[in-house]
Amino acid sequence: MDPNTYLLKRIGTGKALGFVIGLAAFFMVPVIWPGESMWLRFGVLLWYTTFGAMIGVLGLFDFHPLLKIRLSFWFRGLVFGAWFNLLLSVLMHDKFSVLLAEMDGIMANFGNPFWIVAEGAVVGLLIDGITTAVAGEGMPGTAGRSTP
């Protein structure tokens, strides 16, 4: 397979899955937080679309050259998904704290904004797993050079 086609397939698949997850969140935000602005809804949609594209790109790296370990899809998805949402929770900590404090019922137990890190790990695992099943992992044409 041509490396450019492979890369586009991984990014396209990841971006499509991220868009679907973001679209679901887009319609769930007004149910969870009535009266919240459209800016948050579009922000979530664009965040998960970008999230999926980045997970797709990171699927090219299936071996860590310094640590000499193989990076399987479940490891990449968990780690990078959690990392991206950790960045989001640090940048949006004040906003998320206010939004999560307003939640009722069983969701009131998840009032800490850093729960989004665990959610990012699960979403990253889901996106990387499906993207790897559709497009494969590692860069084609590097057999024998990317792994020990």
Side-chain angles (χ1 to χ4, degrees), residues 44-107:
V44 169
L45 175 64
L46 295 175
W47 172 259
Y48 280 106
T49 303
T50 306
F51 182 101
M54 290 305 299
I55 293 291
V57 169
L58 289 167
L60 295 174
F61 306 105
D62 63 347
F63 182 75
H64 195 288
L66 295 176
L67 300 177
K68 306 275 190 237
I69 59 171
R70 186 175 180 281
L71 301 175
S72 61
F73 79 91
W74 60 267
F75 181 78
R76 276 191 322 260
L78 286 172
V79 170
F80 290 115
W83 176 254
F84 291 145
N85 273 11
L86 175 65
L87 294 176
L88 181 65
S89 66
V90 168
L91 293 173
M92 299 288 294
H93 187 273
D94 296 337
K95 179 70 172 175
F96 285 150
S97 294
V98 171
L99 288 174
L100 293 172
E102 297 173 1
M103 296 182 78
D104 296 332
I106 194 166
M107 295 304 290

Side-chain angles (χ1 to χ4, degrees), residues 33-49:
W33 297 299
E36 196 52 48
S37 73
M38 287 295 286
W39 289 109
L40 178 68
R41 294 173 68 187
F42 279 113
V44 169
L45 175 64
L46 295 175
W47 172 259
Y48 280 106
T49 303

